[in-house]
């Protein structure tokens, strides 16, 4: 017997991927509902991108104040109240979360509060405060996100063992912190806690920190962190953690060498696993790939009317990737011509001090792909604006295809580079060659001039180095 | 001899009967890839761009900016090779002489003939050896690169030695259009340097004017790929890097020595991405008009039948249990069964406009989809060619795109049969109004457990009531009865659909 659909489209999960998908769906004329069991805005707004950036802004200020005397400004940093920093971070998160609620309402989307599970294709059961209810919809989009993994040896109940959430809401400054995993999240927390006065050790299993970045960027970052007093152990594996009354001890192993690192807190940031528990994916036979939902280029899974986008659908685990996947998925099923998200270049940024921003191929990846390429570099030591503002530590590196002039990759480290990488993103997305890029006039003096010079350098014609 | 093809005024949505030319994107002599933008057209509701259905050279423009051309009216002629004027005249004449092409199937029968614009707006090709642009008072003035102008107007102005400052702009967004140039040139007694019709010579053709991304252009040069041979899937019809790579890959697999055929690539279907832009308010208005007209004009008669759908439901359960990639509904099975039954009952698979009866060999089945402001009737083309799984997937897609207003022309129109199912609302049975010009519509009620007598025993079964409304002018009672009987048989023994 046919039954009436409750909605044309339902989204499970109100993170950046899910809420953007719901808005696009409603814009296109579909009757849409968004199911969320916790806060609108997901990890990104509430427990990820935004609150960490709020904390890192505080750290930036701390550092500016500490270095002000270099410029003849006589200020003393009397004290740091972490609780107030956390207050700023939480306020920002809740303000944005209510902003999402407003957007959802403005777009005529129903929010259903509760935990969703798929009952059968096109039927979802939501358990909320008021009980359980089935909803029917020909299209169901799973956008349930991912969770930072814990390590089996670490007891999450121990007050010394921090999750990312704990690290975002500390009540006091930990005297010493060990961060396991030197990816974006690990490095950002390391950077924050070092700036507010903790002694920080980074432990990374790969042979360099930020292992997915270009090796030159990793090396520059490691040097910068070291100069700030952060200890980086690479090719080093976490063995065990022993809780103690005064301190805990993290045991690590590098080759045959085992060593102990005493600390007040240990934070794990070694990767994420998909939030698929209890969703009922098994009984529907949804295909997974290492725990993440497998989809085609437009987010469709192997099950009729079921789609997956964002963190739950695999790497890269970035909010802007989630948003694009969400929009593409909706546009495709609604009949709008949309370039698959997978074919769009996704920049990645790390908001530590210094910042890292990158897009496209790293140098080793370009080599592996058999490309004929040149590398251009420009050091911020030769950039007037960077020096004038005391941010001369950094560089820009570009990988240029010799055959077509295509910019294959761009890698930046330095102050504020997260705000600049979109210049390369636009050029690469529009398939500009180095020629068109060189013809773009960059304003002087700006740090972005280094982006221009790096492209010139790939041809050996940089003007300022 | 060249093959000529017509670019005609498309029909964007149910209510469109005519459109006004807003701006040409091409001039005579321009080479077009398939899907290239030809001309912007404004209707009461939208501004949209008409694209070329086939690649080739523009050999004639048959209307001017500002002309109002009926749906199906001729806008331009495209040739895939050298075409002389006589040939083109004959082609245009063959289409109706006045510049009106025969209305496409979807165009309403009452479309007015196009105004006789062909002869007076046709752009004559320039003489073979074009005289150097003569300087005139139109050529004076400061740098005109900042004067807003359409790309075509700018190119031709440059060739003709006209400074755009001297031309009154009346195009869209205050741009100088090709027509403005003509006006100015006529006023100054100056001949415009319009490009002569060129031969379309495929692979060796100059591709410098093909719209491509910079990377695509460089890559094409490196790989020796002509941009004319690439698809243009990039934004705004630009050839992208992927298009060049695809063309190179295709060439790589072709026999290396043999010169590939020079026929321009045509897209498999000429109905490309015709986007419906109708607003729901407008749709509601149309529904009102259409339904009233059908009810008044068409002598409806109805036949009803009860169908036991236990077997069909079992089939549905079995399929859905075995396959997660489809979710078949009873409605999908019904559509499939109708497609099978219609094959044997062509009298019900037909369209009738009061004069001409069209019987179809393929069943194009429209299904009523409830949307916020009215009913939409998306059409499943050639439903008989689809299996149950494909029917189910296609119906989900059609219903969704009907709601987002993204149906292609032939998905909005051209139904040869219709189904309206209100079973999900618990409706037992009802009568539906024929979706003209199709000649019959099936009204489907809810399947419910009811007492039935089987082999003299009273038992129960899942019964669905079907009611078929037919147009008595062309369908007789026996036709309708036989069709319903076959439909019942198929639904009660679904395995018969495999036969
Ligand atoms: C510390 C940290 C810092 C980060 N910094 C950045 C950064 O700077 N830039 C960046 O791009 N990315 C960053 N990320 C990653 C970013 O947060 C994620 O990529 C992004 O949130 C993914 O969005 P999403 O919509 O896929 O899922 P999420 O944001 O995870 O949202 C999923 C939502 O689904 C809900 N949900 C889950 N299961 C159910 C269910 N069964 N029923 C109902 N609701 C459910 C959850 O409550 C949640 O609200 C960071 C992550 C962390 C942890």
């Amino acid at each position: 017997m046919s039954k009436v659909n409750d909605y044309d489209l339902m989204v499970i999960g109100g993170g950046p991927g899910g809420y953007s998908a719901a808005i696009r769906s409603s814009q296109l004329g579909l009757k849409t509902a968004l199911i969320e069991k916790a806060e609108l805005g997901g990890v990104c707004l509430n427990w990820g991108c935004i609150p960490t950036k709020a904390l890192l802004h505080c750290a930036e200020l701390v550092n500016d104040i500490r270095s002000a005397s270099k410029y003849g400004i006589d200020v003393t940093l009397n004290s740091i109240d972490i609780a107030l920093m956390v207050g700023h971070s939480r306020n920002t998160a809740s303000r944005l979360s209510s902003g999402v609620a407003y957007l959802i309402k403005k777009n005529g989307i129903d929010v259903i509060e509760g935990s969703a599970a798929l009952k059968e294709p096109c039927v979802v059961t939501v358990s909320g405060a008021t009980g359980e209810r089935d909803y029917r919809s020909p299209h169901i989009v799973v956008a349930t996100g991912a969770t930072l993994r814990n390590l089996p040896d670490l007891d999450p109940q121990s007050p010394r063992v921090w999750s990312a959430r704990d690290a975002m809401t500390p009540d006091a400054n930990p005297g010493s912190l060990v961060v396991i995993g030197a990816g974006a999240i690990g490095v950002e927390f390391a950077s924050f806690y070092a700036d507010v006065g903790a002694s920080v050790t980074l432990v990374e299993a790969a042979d360099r920190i930020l292992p997915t970045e270009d090796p030159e960027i990793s090396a520059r970052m490691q040097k910068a962190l070291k100069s700030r007093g952060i200890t980086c152990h690479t090719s080093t594996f976490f063995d065990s953690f022993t809780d103690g009354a005064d301190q805990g001890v993290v045991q690590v192993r590098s080759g045959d060498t085992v060593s102990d690192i005493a600390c007040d807190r240990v934070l794990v940031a070694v990767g994420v696993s998909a939030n698929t528990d209890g969703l009922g994916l098994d009984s529907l036979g949804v295909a997974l790939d290492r725990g993440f939902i497998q989809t085609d280029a437009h987010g469709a899974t192997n099950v009729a009317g079921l789609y997956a986008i964002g963190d739950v659908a695999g790497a890269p685990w970035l909010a802007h990737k989630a948003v694009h996947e969400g929009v593409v998925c909706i546009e495709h099923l609604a009949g709008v011509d949309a370039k698959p998200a997978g074919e769009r270049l996704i920049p990645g940024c790390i908001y530590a001090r210094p910042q890292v921003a990158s897009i496209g191929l790293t140098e080793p990846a370009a080599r592996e792909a058999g490309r004929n390429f040149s590398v251009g570099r420009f050091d911020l030591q030769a950039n007037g604006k960077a020096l004038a503002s005391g941010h001369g530590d950094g560089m820009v590196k570009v990988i240029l295809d010799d055959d077509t002039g295509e910019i294959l990759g761009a890698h930046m480290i330095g102050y504020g580079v997260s705000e600049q990488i979109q210049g390369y993103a636009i050029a690469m997305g529009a398939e500009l060659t180095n020629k068109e890029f060189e013809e773009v006039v960059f304003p002087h003096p700006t740090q972005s001039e280094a982006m221009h010079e790096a492209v010139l350098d790939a041809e050996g014609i940089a003007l300022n180095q | 001899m060249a093959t000529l093809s017509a670019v005609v005024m498309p029909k964007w949505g149910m209510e469109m009967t005519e459109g006004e030319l807003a701006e040409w994107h091409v001039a005579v002599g321009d080479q077009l890839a398939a899907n290239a933008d030809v001309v912007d057209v404004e209707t009461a509701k939208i501004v949209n761009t008409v694209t070329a259905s086939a690649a080739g050279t523009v050999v004639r423009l048959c209307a001017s900016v500002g002309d109002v051309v009926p749906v199906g009216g001729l806008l331009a002629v495209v040739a895939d090779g050298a075409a002389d004027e006589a040939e083109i005249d004959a082609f245009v004449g063959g289409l109706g002489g006045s510049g009106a092409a025969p209305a496409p199937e979807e165009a309403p029968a009452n479309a007015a003939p196009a105004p006789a614009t062909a002869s007076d707006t046709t752009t004559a090709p320039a003489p073979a050896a074009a005289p150097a642009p003569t300087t005139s008072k139109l050529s004076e003035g400061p740098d005109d690169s900042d004067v807003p102008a359409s790309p075509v107007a700018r190119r031709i102005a440059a060739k003709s030695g006209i400074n755009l400052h001297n031309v009154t702009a009346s195009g869209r967004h205050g741009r100088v259009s090709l027509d403005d140039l003509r006006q100015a040139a006529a006023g100054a007694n100056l001949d415009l340097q319009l490009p002569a019709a060129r031969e379309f010579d495929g692979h060796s053709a100059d591709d410098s004017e093909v719209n491509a991304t910079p990377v695509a252009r460089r890559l094409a040069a490196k790989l020796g790929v002509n941009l004319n041979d690439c698809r243009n899937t990039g934004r705004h019809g630009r050839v992208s890097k992927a298009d060049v790579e695809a063309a190179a890959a295709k060439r790589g697999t072709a026999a290396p020595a043999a010169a590939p055929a020079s026929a321009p690539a045509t897209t498999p279907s000429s109905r490309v991405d015709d986007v419906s832009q109708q607003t729901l308010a407008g749709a509601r208005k149309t529904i009102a008009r259409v339904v009233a007209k059908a009810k008044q004009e068409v002598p409806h008669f109805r036949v009803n039948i009860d169908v036991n759908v236990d077997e069909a439901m079992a089939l549905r359960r079995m399929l859905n249990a075995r396959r997660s990639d489809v979710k078949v509904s009873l409605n999908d099975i019904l559509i499939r069964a109708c497609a099978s039954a219609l094959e044997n009952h062509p009298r019900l698979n037909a369209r009738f406009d009061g004069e001409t009866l069209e019987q179809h060999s393929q069943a194009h089945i429209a299904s009523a989809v409830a949307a916020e402001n009215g009913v939409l009737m998306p059409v499943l083309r050639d439903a008989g060619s689809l299996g149950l799984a494909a029917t189910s997937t296609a119906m989900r897609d059609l219903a969704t795109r009907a709601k987002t207003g993204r149906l292609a022309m032939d998905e909005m129109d051209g139904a040869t049969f219709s189904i309206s199912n209100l079973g999900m609302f618990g409706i037992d049975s009802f009568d539906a109004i024929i979706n003209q010009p199709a000649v019959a519509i099936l009204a489907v009620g809810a399947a419910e457990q009811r007492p039935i007598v089987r082999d003299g025993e009273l038992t129960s079964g899942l019964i669905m009531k079907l009611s078929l409304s037919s147009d008595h002018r062309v369908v007789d009672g026996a036709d309708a009865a036989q069709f319903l009987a076959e439909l019942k048989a198929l639904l009660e023994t679904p395995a018969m659909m495999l036969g």
Side-chain angles (χ1 to χ4, degrees):
Chain A
M1 266 155 294
S2 315
K3 299 213 179 73
V4 186
N5 284 316
D6 296 289
Y7 292 97
D8 295 328
L9 189 137
M10 297 184 83
V11 181
I12 307 177
Y19 85 73
S20 307
I23 290 176
R24 192 73 189 104
S25 167
S26 187
Q27 281 175 345
L28 286 167
L30 299 178
K31 189 180 171 206
T32 307
L34 179 62
I35 311 168
E36 172 57 58
K37 66 176 181 185
E39 301 111 331
L40 286 175
V43 168
C44 169
L45 262 60
N46 298 288
W47 298 106
C49 326
I50 298 297
T52 53
K53 267 80 260 181
L55 293 176
L56 285 159
H57 171 71
C58 301
E60 196 81 52
L61 272 176
V62 168
N63 177 58
D64 282 350
I65 293 167
R66 286 213 175 103
S67 47
S69 62
K70 262 203 296 197
Y71 308 107
I73 305 163
D74 180 21
V75 278
T76 10
L77 184 67
N78 294 323
S79 70
I80 291 174
D81 186 341
I82 289 248
L84 288 180
M85 289 184 173
V86 171
H88 163 61
S89 170
R90 298 320 305 157
N91 284 341
T92 313
S94 65
R95 194 167 144 193
L96 285 169
S97 183
S98 42
V100 172
Y102 162 79
L103 286 176
I104 293 294
K105 188 160 171 234
K106 184 182 113 176
N107 281 282
I109 297 159
D110 288 348
V111 175
I112 303 172
E113 287 177 16
S115 190
L118 296 157
K119 186 171 180 186
E120 54 183 271
C122 307
V123 180
V124 61
T125 308
V126 182
S127 336
T130 53
E132 212 172 86
R133 207 204 124 169
D134 286 354
Y135 295 86
R136 265 168 202 283
S137 174
H139 304 283
I140 297 173
V141 179
V142 178
T144 51
T147 309
L148 278 179
R149 274 206 309 267
N150 193 16
L151 289 170
D153 270 352
L154 284 173
D155 173 13
Q157 301 307 324
S158 160
R160 294 202 190 284
V161 176
W162 262 1
S163 67
R165 285 194 190 203
D166 298 326
M168 256 172 270
T169 50
D171 32 27
N173 192 344
S176 55
L177 173 69
V178 171
V179 179
I180 301 169
I185 294 174
V187 166
E188 285 183 4
F189 277 119
S191 179
F192 170 77
Y193 278 104
D195 269 340
V196 296
S199 121
V200 178
T201 308
L202 264 172
V203 176
E204 170 59 49
D207 61 358
R208 55 192 171 97
I209 65 165
L210 302 178
T212 57
E213 297 295 332
D214 189 273
E216 255 176 276
I217 299 294
S218 296
R220 291 286 292 237
M221 185 57 131
Q222 188 158 344
K223 209 170 128 210
L225 293 183
K226 206 169 149 202
S227 74
R228 291 178 49 198
I230 298 173
T231 312
C232 299
H233 294 297
T234 53
S235 305
T236 303
F237 295 81
F238 168 82
D239 255 0
S240 64
F241 175 72
T242 317
D243 220 333
D246 288 342
Q247 278 201 314
V249 174
V250 176
Q251 193 173 75
V252 296
R253 183 172 34 86
S254 179
D256 294 334
T257 323
V258 174
S259 37
D260 290 346
I261 312 168
C263 64
D264 296 314
R265 296 283 184 273
V266 58
L267 166 66
V268 183
V270 293
V272 298
S273 47
N275 295 336
T276 53
D277 278 0
L279 270 179
L281 301 183
D282 278 358
S283 57
L284 264 64
V286 179
L288 302 180
D289 179 12
R290 278 160 288 176
F292 294 90
I293 301 178
Q294 241 179 33
T295 69
D296 70 7
H298 295 105
T301 70
N302 62 322
V303 171
L306 190 71
Y307 310 79
I309 56 132
D311 277 8
V312 76
W317 297 286
L318 293 168
H320 40 285
K321 174 254 187 188
V323 171
H324 277 256
E325 281 186 350
V327 169
V328 164
C329 169
I330 300 300
E331 291 189 340
H332 186 70
L333 68 84
V336 179
D337 181 24
K339 178 173 173 171
E343 290 172 22
R344 302 179 185 186
L345 287 156
I346 298 163
C349 297
I350 299 160
Y351 300 77
R353 194 161 63 76
Q355 291 190 351
V356 170
S358 62
I359 183 168
L361 298 182
T362 61
E363 189 177 341
R367 196 169 300 119
E368 204 165 292
R371 306 300 283 255
N372 229 340
F373 64 89
S374 304
V375 175
R377 292 182 184 82
F378 196 83
D379 201 293
L380 293 184
Q381 286 298 335
N383 175 279
K385 177 70 190 317
L387 289 182
S389 34
H391 297 303
D393 183 19
M395 72 174 294
V396 180
K397 171 175 177 175
V398 292
I399 319 277
L400 212 62
D401 189 306
D402 289 342
D403 297 323
T404 62
E406 183 182 6
I407 301 169
L408 296 174
H411 307 277
M412 308 169 74
I413 180 166
Y415 177 80
V417 292
S418 60
E419 296 288 354
Q420 296 168 24
I421 191 74
Q422 35 74 11
Y424 285 127
I426 292 167
M428 291 162 78
E431 294 190 358
L432 299 190
T433 74
N434 58 327
K435 288 295 166 216
E436 285 81 24
F437 197 86
E438 286 161 13
E439 284 160 14
V440 176
V441 181
F442 284 70
H444 177 78
T446 58
Q447 198 183 310
S448 66
E449 288 173 284
M451 297 169 66
H452 193 238
E453 293 275 0
V455 172
L456 291 173
D457 181 58
E459 283 194 85
I461 53 170
L463 298 170
N464 289 291
Q465 78 179 3
Chain B
M1 210 180 100
T3 307
L4 299 176
S5 55
V7 178
V8 299
M9 178 66 70
K11 185 167 166 67
W12 291 315
M14 262 188 275
E15 295 197 306
M16 176 171 167
T17 55
E18 60 188 23
E20 181 179 338
L21 299 207
E23 182 172 2
W24 285 102
H25 291 289
V26 299
V28 168
D30 282 0
Q31 286 178 3
L32 301 182
N35 293 334
D37 292 351
V38 175
V39 61
D40 287 349
V41 166
E42 275 187 56
T43 71
K45 289 189 179 154
I46 52 164
V47 181
N48 210 340
T49 304
V50 180
T51 55
S53 57
T57 306
V58 180
V59 291
R60 184 167 295 178
L61 304 185
C62 306
S64 310
V65 169
D67 285 353
V68 175
V69 179
V71 166
L74 185 63
L75 302 175
V77 180
V78 175
D80 73 347
D84 61 34
E85 290 300 302
E87 239 179 279
I88 302 167
D89 285 343
F91 178 75
V92 172
L95 293 176
S98 65
E105 197 195 320
E106 298 80 7
N110 64 355
T117 51
S119 52
D120 52 21
T121 59
T122 300
T123 315
T134 42
T135 46
S136 69
K137 61 181 167 51
L138 287 184
S139 58
E140 284 149 28
D143 177 14
D144 63 359
S145 54
D146 60 345
V147 176
S150 77
V152 178
R154 186 178 303 286
R155 196 167 71 233
I156 289 173
K159 278 188 189 151
S160 310
I162 296 178
N163 185 305
L164 291 171
H165 280 294
N166 303 321
V167 183
T168 313
S170 71
R172 294 213 303 130
H173 309 305
R175 298 203 295 180
V176 173
S177 68
L178 186 55
D179 238 46
D180 297 332
L181 275 188
R182 285 209 186 88
Q183 293 255 334
N189 258 337
L190 182 87
D191 282 334
L192 284 185
Q193 300 295 308
L194 296 166
R198 280 168 295 182
E199 194 175 332
F200 184 76
D201 48 5
H203 287 254
S204 61
D206 172 17
D207 63 1
S208 59
E209 284 181 15
V210 173
N211 202 356
T213 70
V215 166
R217 187 172 298 285
R218 288 262 286 271
L219 184 65
K222 168 154 190 295
L223 298 175
V225 169
N226 189 298
L227 291 171
N228 283 307
D229 299 339
C230 299
R231 297 187 49 186
N232 54 335
T233 65
R235 279 280 162 245
H236 304 302
R238 293 203 299 178
V239 175
S240 71
K241 185 177 76 172
D243 296 328
V244 174
E245 283 167 352
K250 212 159 98 195
R251 189 190 52 186
T253 56
S262 64
T266 50
T267 44
S269 151
S270 58
R271 293 258 166 236
V272 183
D273 195 17
D274 258 342
V275 177
S276 147
Q277 295 275 352
Q278 48 173 314
T279 63
L280 282 177
R284 186 71 255 180
K285 221 165 79 187
T286 310
I287 291 167
R289 202 181 58 227
V290 168
V291 171
K293 180 164 167 282
K295 187 79 180 171
Q296 282 160 13
E297 274 182 12
V298 180
H300 285 61
F301 78 98
R302 276 166 288 272
V303 289
N304 304 313
I305 205 162
D306 283 3
V307 178
N308 182 328
V309 291
D310 282 323
E311 290 288 314
M313 289 301 279
L315 170 72
R316 169 180 182 270
R317 271 193 302 275
M318 198 255 299
L319 267 174
N320 288 342
R322 301 260 159 99
R323 289 182 66 165
S324 55
D325 61 335
V326 286
K327 173 141 180 177
V328 172
S329 69
L330 185 55
N331 197 59
D332 298 329
I333 299 177
L334 190 71
I335 291 171
R336 189 68 202 75
C338 283
S340 291
L342 286 168
E343 254 173 47
N344 297 329
H345 301 274
R347 284 189 169 213
L348 284 132
N349 192 43
R351 291 161 68 81
F352 181 58
D353 65 3
E355 308 224 327
T356 317
L357 177 66
E358 254 176 38
Q359 286 186 0
H360 287 246
S361 61
Q362 297 179 345
H364 307 308
I365 300 180
S367 297
V369 170
E372 215 142 296
N373 293 320
V375 180
L376 304 163
M377 298 288 286
V379 178
L380 185 66
R381 303 292 298 186
D382 196 6
S385 67
L386 303 174
L388 253 186
T391 301
S392 173
T393 305
M395 283 311 299
R396 175 199 317 277
D397 176 44
L398 277 178
T400 302
R401 286 190 295 113
K403 289 176 181 174
T404 59
R406 304 278 169 167
L407 293 175
M409 261 302 302
D410 64 353
E411 294 170 329
M412 292 194 291
D413 217 339
T416 57
F417 187 78
S418 308
I419 298 177
S420 176
N421 187 342
L422 295 180
M424 59 284 234
F425 298 104
I427 298 296
D428 182 45
S429 74
F430 67 104
D431 295 332
I433 295 174
I434 290 172
N435 175 31
Q436 271 196 302
V439 300
I441 185 166
L442 187 69
V444 184
E448 275 168 11
Q449 285 294 339
R450 286 180 221 273
I452 51 170
V453 178
R454 186 184 292 143
D455 303 330
E457 295 280 322
L458 188 62
T459 163
S460 77
L462 202 51
I463 302 298
M464 184 168 73
K465 290 183 180 295
L466 300 180
S467 162
L468 183 76
S469 303
S470 309
D471 183 340
H472 218 332
R473 294 173 300 178
V474 288
V475 179
D476 292 330
D479 298 328
Q482 283 161 7
F483 169 75
L484 265 198
E486 174 157 356
L487 187 60
K488 176 181 164 84
L490 288 169
L491 287 168
E492 295 193 342
T493 317
M496 278 169 58
M497 279 187 258
L498 300 173

